[in-house]
């Protein structure tokens, strides 16, 4: 824990990464709240509190998949859409993945402060309700917003892993990370890997640096899935 307290995360470097990569196309009705949310994170979590920031992010990151499955279930109940079983399974797999990211951050002490827990739990509830409302306007807009957030998560984890590489390589991977990424039964792990062949990705985590690189790559897969969900000719039904 003493070593974790010395880790840093440069907000300016994260924004520089975002400017240097291919921009996620999105209307301003989506980009405005996205930039507001990212600015909020920069203000609330200083550069010397990266683990707490990650715990907050992972607490909120599960909400889109909860909201999408809520609306898909409602659509099926109303008889509007009866081909969503595969999509609901993909979203559950994504939520299961984010859940383990959350457990990893808890194992690193990211939820130690009451203030952070209070903020994350209320933000998660608000985010869930906002995404349900956004879905009612347009499912594509809801997915587009998640694509923006997941792409920002990729930049954030990538910057953290590079910025603290030497220290992270001296620290062991949390037990929950090894149990998740190196288990013989990779439960639902392949179901959200929509941008690569099935069973082609098997992370090996020995150090904390390996762990954050694996999470970064998970978030990149979520970006690809959210992009796929916005396509009218999506092959999501044939994801495997």
């Amino acid at each position: 824990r003493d070593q974790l307290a010395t880790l840093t995360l440069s907000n300016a470097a994260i924004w520089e990464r975002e400017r240097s990569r291919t921009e996620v196309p999105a209307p301003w009705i989506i980009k405005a709240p996205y930039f507001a949310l990212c600015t909020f994170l920069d203000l609330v979590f200083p550069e010397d509190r990266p683990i707490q920031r990650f715990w907050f992010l992972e607490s909120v990151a599960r909400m889109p998949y909860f909201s999408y499955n809520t609306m898909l279930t409602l659509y099926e109940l109303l008889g509007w859409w009866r081909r969503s079983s595969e999509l609901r399974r993909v979203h559950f797999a994504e939520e299961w993945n984010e859940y383990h990211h959350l457990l990893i951050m808890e194992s690193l002490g990211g939820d130690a402060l009451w203030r952070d827990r209070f903020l994350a739990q209320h933000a998660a509830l608000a985010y869930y309700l906002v995404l349900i409302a956004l879905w009612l306007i347009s499912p594509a807009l809801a997915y587009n917003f998640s694509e923006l957030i997941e792409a920002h998560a990729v930049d954030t984890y990538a910057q953290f892993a590079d910025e603290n590489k030497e220290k992270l390589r001296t620290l062991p991977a949390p037990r929950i990370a090894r149990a998740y990424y190196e288990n013989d039964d990779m439960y639902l792990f392949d179901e959200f890997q929509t941008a690569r062949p099935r069973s082609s990705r098997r992370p090996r985590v020995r150090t904390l640096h390996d762990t954050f690189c694996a999470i970064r790559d998970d978030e990149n897969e979520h970006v690809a899935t959210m992009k796929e969900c916005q396509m009218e000719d999506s092959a999501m039904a044939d994801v495997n």
Side-chain angles (χ1 to χ4, degrees), residues 181-192:
Y181 287 110
E182 299 186 347
N183 199 310
D184 291 336
D185 178 14
M186 298 293 285
Y187 178 65
L188 292 176
F189 188 75
D190 292 320
E191 304 307 321
F192 70 92

Side-chain angles (χ1 to χ4, degrees), residues 154 181 186 188-203 213-225 228 235-236 238-240:
V154 173
Y181 287 110
M186 298 293 285
L188 292 176
F189 188 75
D190 292 320
E191 304 307 321
F192 70 92
Q193 311 286 332
T194 56
R196 62 178 68 238
R198 187 174 178 82
S199 303
S200 63
R201 182 168 170 242
R202 290 293 182 267
C213 287
I215 295 174
R216 174 202 62 199
D217 294 343
D218 288 346
E219 302 295 355
N220 202 39
E221 293 299 323
H222 294 312
V223 172
T225 303
E228 179 77 17
M236 192 64 70
D238 191 30
V239 65
N240 292 331

Side-chain angles (χ1 to χ4, degrees), residues 56 60 114 116-128:
F56 177 91
V60 175
W114 179 89
D116 294 333
R117 297 195 300 273
F118 180 89
L119 185 63
Q121 289 164 3
H122 287 77
L125 177 59
Y127 191 34
Y128 173 78

Side-chain angles (χ1 to χ4, degrees), residues 1-7 51 105-112 171:
R1 290 297 172 86
D2 291 340
Q3 290 294 318
L4 292 175
T6 67
L7 302 174
I51 302 300
M105 298 311 156
E106 287 181 355
S107 75
L108 299 176
D111 63 337
L171 300 173

